[in-house]
Amino acid sequence: QVQLVESGGGLVQAGSSLRLSCAASGRTFRTLNMDWFRQAPGLEREFVARVNWSGGSTYYADSVKGRFTISRDNAKKTVSLQMKSLKPEDTAVYYCAADSVAGATTRRLTQGECDYWGQGTQVTVSS
């Protein structure tokens, strides 16, 4: 199985940048698509970004497109989310996830489509 552990969250000022990391274990990591989701208190967990198994294709939610960048290093078994120009509305618990969905390279994933999840890391953006 695959185990995911997020890190890099914290309290930052609006307009600043933050980089989240997700360390993965398991031999199947390189065959999986990787995703970032986020969940604010009282709200549903929402899709943020996705990178396919090879790293050659990415997809972003409209709310973060142009500000966030997802990337992966299959040799190191890590996935990163570089966040720029952070806004207070970006405040949430950010989760790393993995999926094996085919034919979902250009759409938002649902929570139920992901096979593995990390524990989450808190990102708080102050105004």
Side-chain angles (χ1 to χ4, degrees):
Q1 61 178 324
V2 175
Q3 185 172 10
L4 306 174
V5 180
E6 303 96 333
S7 63
L11 174 63
V12 298
Q13 187 178 15
S16 62
S17 299
L18 196 64
R19 186 179 183 90
L20 305 182
S21 295
C22 175
S25 63
R27 62 180 178 83
T28 64
F29 172 79
R30 279 187 275 263
T31 71
L32 296 169
N33 308 304
M34 300 300 298
D35 314 274
W36 286 96
F37 283 72
R38 67 186 183 185
Q39 187 168 23
L43 301 179
E44 296 181 352
R45 189 170 299 184
E46 65 176 354
F47 169 83
V48 175
R50 185 173 190 246
V51 59
N52 78 335
W53 68 272
S54 69
S57 180
T58 59
Y59 187 77
Y60 299 91
D62 290 342
S63 59
V64 306
K65 188 175 179 62
R67 298 189 298 121
F68 290 11
T69 301
I70 186 173
S71 61
R72 68 189 297 162
D73 187 331
N74 285 343
K76 297 181 179 180
K77 294 184 177 181
T78 59
V79 181
S80 297
L81 184 68
Q82 178 63 54
M83 304 182 292
K84 301 186 296 183
S85 301
L86 284 164
K87 307 173 181 179
E89 50 263 46
D90 293 320
T91 295
V93 176
Y94 282 71
Y95 296 91
C96 179
D99 75 85
S100 57
V101 177
T105 58
T106 58
R107 66 173 176 85
R108 298 161 64 97
L109 289 189
T110 64
Q111 181 176 341
E113 291 180 295
C114 296
D115 302 313
Y116 304 98
W117 293 89
Q119 295 298 309
T121 185
Q122 175 71 232
V123 173
T124 303
V125 184
S126 62
S127 60

